[in-house]
Amino acid sequence: MSYHNGSVWPHDTAMAAAGMAHYGERRAVALLMGEIFSAATHFHLRLPELFCGFERIPGEPPIAYPVACLPQAWAAGSVFLMLQAALGVRIDAIEGLVEIEKPLLPSGIDRLHITNLQVGDGLVDLAFQQLGAHTVAIPKRREGPVSVRTIG
C-alpha cells in the first residue's frame, strides 16, 4: 500500500481521461468513468481522495486508503470532467456556444439529461440518448444567446 505508488486518484484519472478524449479515445474515457463510478458505489457515492490500486476480485470492493479524505472535493469534481470528456462537450461562454463532438455514454447509461446549463448569459438543456451503437445529442430548451453545434 502506497500513497503515490499504484494508488488511484480520481482527479488524476479525470485529467488523463480529458487528455484521452482530446485524442479521440472516448471509449476508454467511458470505461474509466464506469470504473470510477463502480468504485464510488462502494464508498456510498462519496469519492475519496484516493484508494488503493490493488487488483480486485470480481464482486469485491476497492480497498480504501486508511487516511484518505472521504469525501474529497476534487475527487467529487472529477466525475464532471470525465462526463464532459466522454460526451465530447466543449463550451465557449464568450461566444455562447456549446459544441458536442462524437458523444459516448458510459456502459449501463442509456440516456442522460443535463438541465439549466449556463453558457454565458444563456441557458440550455441537453439530452443524450443511446441509439444502437451510437449516442445522439439532442438540444432541448434554450434561453438567451446560446447555440448548440454537433460535430461528427
Side-chain angles (χ1 to χ4, degrees), residues 87-104:
L87 295 177
V89 172
R90 286 189 301 273
I91 298 171
D92 184 335
I94 294 170
E95 295 295 322
L97 175 64
V98 177
E99 290 183 329
I100 304 167
E101 183 176 2
K102 299 179 184 169
L104 185 65

Side-chain angles (χ1 to χ4, degrees), residues 101-117:
E101 183 176 2
K102 299 179 184 169
L104 185 65
L105 287 168
S107 180
I109 299 175
D110 294 327
R111 65 181 63 131
L112 175 76
H113 296 271
I114 298 172
T115 58
N116 295 320
L117 177 63

Side-chain angles (χ1 to χ4, degrees), residues 113-127:
H113 296 271
I114 298 172
T115 58
N116 295 320
L117 177 63
Q118 185 162 359
V119 180
D121 292 328
L123 288 173
V124 65
D125 293 349
L126 302 170

Side-chain angles (χ1 to χ4, degrees), residues 137-149:
I138 306 158
K140 296 287 188 174
R141 177 185 63 101
R142 287 182 234 180
E143 292 181 15
V146 61
S147 59
V148 178
R149 178 171 54 210

Side-chain angles (χ1 to χ4, degrees), residues 26-27 30 83-89 99-106 127-130 133-138 150-152:
R26 292 210 204 299
R27 292 206 185 288
L83 183 61
Q84 181 180 359
L87 295 177
V89 172
E99 290 183 329
I100 304 167
E101 183 176 2
K102 299 179 184 169
L104 185 65
L105 287 168
F128 294 86
Q129 185 167 341
Q130 194 67 32
H134 301 286
T135 301
V136 295
I138 306 158
T150 56
I151 302 168

